[in-house]
Amino acid sequence: MNFDTKPFHQPKAQAHILAKPKISKFSSAPASSPLIHRLLHLPPSLHLMAEEAVLGFLEHNEQIKDSGEFAEEKGISHEEIVNVIKSLNGFRFIDVQDIKKERWQLTAEGKTYAASGSPEFQLFMAVPPEGISRTELQKKLGDSVFKIGCQQAIKNKWVEMGKTQVSRKVEHVDDNVKALLIKINDGEALKQEDIDALKRRKLISPQIWKGYSVKKGPNYAPKRRKPATDLTRENLQSGEWKELQFKEYNFSAKGFPVEGGYLHPLLKVRRQMQMIFLQMGFEEMPTNNFVESSFWNFDALFQPQQHPARDSHDTFFLREPSTTKMLPEDYVERVKQIHESGGHGSRGYGYDWKREEANKNLLRTHTTAVSSRMLYALAKKPFEAKKYYSIDRVFRNEAVDRTHLAEFHQIEGLICDRGLSLGDLQGVLHDFFSRLGMSKLRFKPAYNPYTEPSMEIFGYHEGLKKWVEVGNSGMFRPEMLLPMGLPEDVTVIAWGLSLERPTMILYGIDNIRDLFGHKVDLSLIKSNPICRIGL
Ligand code: PHE
């Protein structure tokens, strides 16, 4: 269907106008110090100390060249200095520039060598002056140290590898690699060729270090005074208000989202459907009874007692109370008659109609049960043409999957008047569905026990570019209407569809369990667009 939801725009906040400073370089909002302290579990004085150090330094110096060096000089962690810099920059106390430095850090392998020596050194030390057999050496060192150690020690010309024997070529060696790794770890600078060699052996890896250089900003002050957000009684009494600096208003700040009182998408679509029926002059039927008797749900609708839909696989029967107490006896008799032997030109079904079957209570399987009650009530009074609708819940004992739940909502419309034809039904369906934004309809012959003729309704979905089934319809059979006592020339045209299907199409939901039931994500309920269809 050409259902289209429009995004819901929150009205601009009235009650909570939050002051929001302009943010220059950092995209995140400037941190207020108490929050930072809470996040980092720092005593407040540390943040304040860092802030005073930065602002105080800039009072007498043009700039902080490197936040890393600055942090070291002041004995404050670089992380803390960076937090302060970000916050001060947010309020334009300072202007900052990024500094990026490539630093080297030891890989896991590099760390083990820094601790216990390079493999080549370990290997050399394991070779006694008189030599050692390869297998014994390998056993002593382990596979990986032996393998890497051999490669490097041969390259360094430290050892001689015979077929079976390994012997020293020099008397003394230094573990250069270990020394270099320790230097890296201490942050000392190395010659490029040493770096390259360690890099090739994957003993070190680059690490980007980020810091800042800092200058005074347009709002610079040697001390930050927290701007006031409220004018209080105390301010006024003490006269403090004259000196106070107030936070600017931010008129484009969003208000706090309202907690509670959200409408479920099904309710929103239901309201739209209701509006369409009301605009077409329909009256709502009372649907406030989920429990119904088989009589009104099936028998009154000329649905034979052997019909498969009356099986407990498709219908939920009630255990307590299992049967209905009251049915209109004279009408029950006429319904029994029409099922068993027909009448009014019908042959009936020709079976033994059982009262016990009609008495069984169930959860209504369709809202047409309500329609049958309404038409019966109508038939008791002098005839009056009526247009009725209902939208409410029905229950079917079905296997639950992506598109089926054991309960859903039906939308049902009916018109009861003298001499209505199939043409009237098609006309009213065109009217109804074009109000939903679906003006191309097709009909396919179908079967319902209570309508003849019956038609499935297909609508061309402009979005999906295909025909989709949108409902079921028909003219109620005389076998249903005449036992109620409606005049012979009165016909009833009716149609039904589910509420879930258009809602899923409208809200782009492809699994019904995301729309209804315990698996629904509550945030969908809290923030879904408003629904306007066809108006
Ligand atoms: N009761 C039908 C159903 O459950 C819908 C319908 C209503 C069909 C009215 C025809 C007339 O699918």
Side-chain angles (χ1 to χ4, degrees):
M1 301 193 186
N2 183 24
F3 297 137
D4 192 20
T5 51
K6 307 220 169 29
F8 172 63
H9 290 295
Q10 256 187 328
K12 286 260 164 72
Q14 298 279 318
H16 301 280
I17 298 167
L18 305 172
K20 184 177 149 207
K22 291 189 191 74
I23 299 165
S24 61
K25 192 147 186 277
F26 299 100
S27 52
S28 59
S32 75
S33 49
L35 180 68
I36 283 221
H37 296 141
R38 258 180 280 136
L39 291 177
L40 300 176
H41 307 289
L42 290 173
S45 61
L46 200 57
H47 184 79
L48 213 65
M49 226 172 76
E51 186 171 299
E52 277 171 8
V54 171
L55 291 175
F57 187 86
L58 289 176
E59 196 177 0
H60 308 292
N61 300 277
E62 206 200 322
Q63 68 163 337
I64 296 170
K65 272 208 200 92
D66 180 323
S67 58
E69 285 164 19
F70 184 75
E72 213 163 295
E73 269 166 39
K74 299 285 172 189
I76 302 171
S77 81
H78 188 233
E79 200 184 340
E80 186 57 30
I81 291 287
V82 167
N83 279 334
V84 163
I85 287 177
K86 286 185 180 177
S87 167
L88 290 173
N89 182 59
F91 290 95
R92 307 299 310 272
F93 274 85
I94 55 171
D95 280 339
V96 304
Q97 218 142 28
D98 289 348
I99 307 174
K100 275 190 191 147
K101 283 189 208 161
E102 213 184 39
R103 291 192 165 187
W104 296 98
Q105 62 180 4
L106 304 190
T107 61
E109 191 183 354
K111 276 182 198 154
T112 56
Y113 300 165
S116 44
S118 67
E120 56 270 34
F121 186 77
Q122 290 182 48
L123 181 124
F124 181 85
M125 297 309 281
V127 178
E130 67 278 12
I132 187 172
S133 82
R134 265 176 187 254
T135 39
E136 204 175 323
L137 186 60
Q138 187 164 359
K139 231 194 306 175
K140 248 171 139 176
L141 295 171
D143 289 349
S144 99
V145 172
F146 176 74
K147 194 177 149 224
I148 304 168
C150 282
Q151 279 169 9
Q152 298 296 328
I154 293 167
K155 209 162 111 194
N156 293 352
K157 302 201 167 70
W158 286 356
V159 293
E160 173 95 60
M161 301 289 282
K163 273 211 184 97
T164 56
Q165 278 296 108
V166 184
S167 52
R168 289 184 172 188
K169 265 180 135 175
V170 290
E171 259 169 43
H172 174 81
V173 299
D174 289 320
D175 195 352
N176 244 329
V177 168
K178 178 175 172 170
L180 290 174
L181 288 173
I182 289 171
K183 275 189 183 171
I184 295 257
N185 213 24
D186 294 344
E188 285 179 42
L190 297 193
K191 282 189 285 182
Q192 192 57 42
E193 53 181 282
D194 289 334
I195 297 244
D196 290 344
L198 295 176
K199 216 163 65 173
R200 238 178 286 122
R201 287 181 68 176
K202 298 205 173 63
L203 302 182
I204 56 173
S205 64
Q207 182 200 30
I208 304 294
W209 178 89
K210 279 190 198 144
Y212 303 96
S213 75
V214 181
K215 282 188 177 154
K216 283 181 187 152
N219 298 338
Y220 174 81
K223 236 184 155 120
R224 166 145 71 162
R225 273 208 290 165
K226 221 170 158 236
T229 47
D230 278 317
L231 184 60
T232 64
R233 198 170 134 225
E234 287 74 27
N235 297 155
L236 291 169
Q237 282 176 336
S238 68
E240 203 187 356
W241 62 273
K242 286 181 218 157
E243 271 88 53
L244 275 182
Q245 246 182 13
F246 288 95
K247 221 169 183 179
E248 263 179 72
Y249 279 120
N250 173 12
F251 291 102
S252 49
K254 269 194 181 174
F256 288 122
V258 184
E259 282 301 327
Y262 299 95
L263 289 178
H264 191 282
L266 282 173
L267 294 179
K268 294 184 179 179
V269 179
R270 185 177 73 173
R271 167 64 85 221
Q272 294 297 306
M273 297 288 178
Q274 259 167 351
M275 294 311 288
I276 290 173
F277 276 116
L278 293 176
Q279 284 164 0
M280 289 173 71
F282 282 62
E283 288 171 57
E284 186 164 8
M285 294 186 266
T287 49
N288 53 345
N289 60 316
F290 290 170
V291 174
E292 186 54 277
S293 63
S294 294
F295 180 77
W296 290 111
N297 195 83
F298 294 128
D299 296 282
L301 289 162
F302 198 52
Q303 190 142 330
Q305 295 188 326
Q306 309 78 20
H307 193 280
R310 299 182 65 148
D311 203 289
S312 64
H313 292 297
D314 293 296
T315 302
F316 291 109
F317 286 98
L318 256 71
R319 218 175 272 152
E320 191 65 47
S322 61
T323 54
T324 184
K325 290 206 176 70
M326 255 200 317
L327 291 175
E329 293 304 329
D330 54 335
Y331 175 48
V332 169
E333 194 49 42
R334 295 197 297 274
V335 168
K336 172 183 161 79
Q337 278 284 317
I338 202 100
H339 278 245
E340 290 190 337
S341 50
H344 308 287
S346 169
R347 280 187 283 159
Y349 291 118
Y351 71 97
D352 229 357
W353 187 84
K354 294 208 174 60
R355 175 63 184 262
E356 309 81 73
E357 203 54 51
N359 283 347
K360 285 184 185 169
N361 277 334
L362 45 74
L363 292 180
R364 70 171 175 231
T365 64
H366 54 182
T367 45
T368 318
V370 179
S371 304
S372 67
R373 278 178 181 270
M374 288 301 280
L375 288 169
Y376 172 71
L378 203 61
K380 293 185 93 174
K381 293 182 286 183
F383 180 72
E384 213 188 325
K386 283 285 180 191
K387 295 198 262 188
Y388 284 139
Y389 81 93
S390 69
I391 309 173
D392 209 343
R393 205 174 289 192
V394 300
F395 307 85
R396 293 184 188 176
N397 195 357
E398 277 182 303
V400 170
D401 63 24
R402 293 185 76 78
T403 52
H404 292 90
L405 289 179
E407 55 189 296
F408 64 100
H409 295 76
Q410 274 192 338
I411 304 168
E412 182 151 327
L414 69 86
I415 305 178
C416 169
D417 203 353
R418 297 185 193 273
L420 291 175
S421 67
L422 195 65
D424 291 309
L425 176 57
Q426 295 194 340
V428 77
L429 290 176
H430 271 292
D431 188 2
F432 178 78
F433 281 98
S434 64
R435 286 167 193 262
L436 292 180
M438 192 168 255
S439 44
K440 280 191 230 159
L441 294 186
R442 273 184 185 172
F443 303 103
K444 184 174 152 188
Y447 172 77
N448 296 308
Y450 39 90
T451 53
E452 180 59 34
S454 311
M455 304 185 300
E456 271 170 12
I457 312 158
F458 287 80
Y460 189 73
H461 191 293
E462 300 289 349
L464 302 175
K465 297 261 172 274
K466 64 175 184 186
W467 292 93
V468 293
E469 196 190 328
V470 290
N472 183 5
S473 69
M475 299 179 71
F476 285 137
R477 294 185 77 104
E479 289 96 329
M480 168 181 166
L481 302 178
L482 294 175
M484 290 175 170
L486 283 167
E488 290 236 347
D489 58 344
V490 167
T491 44
V492 180
I493 55 180
W495 72 99
L497 60 148
S498 87
L499 177 63
E500 278 74 3
R501 196 172 156 88
T503 306
M504 285 169 74
I505 295 176
L506 276 167
Y507 284 90
I509 297 169
D510 66 353
N511 188 337
I512 197 162
R513 286 167 289 199
D514 294 337
L515 179 68
F516 197 85
H518 66 288
K519 289 192 180 156
V520 169
D521 176 4
L522 276 186
S523 63
L524 167 86
I525 311 299
K526 289 188 178 177
S527 62
N528 56 78
I530 57 166
C531 169
R532 291 231 162 273
I533 37 182
L535 299 177

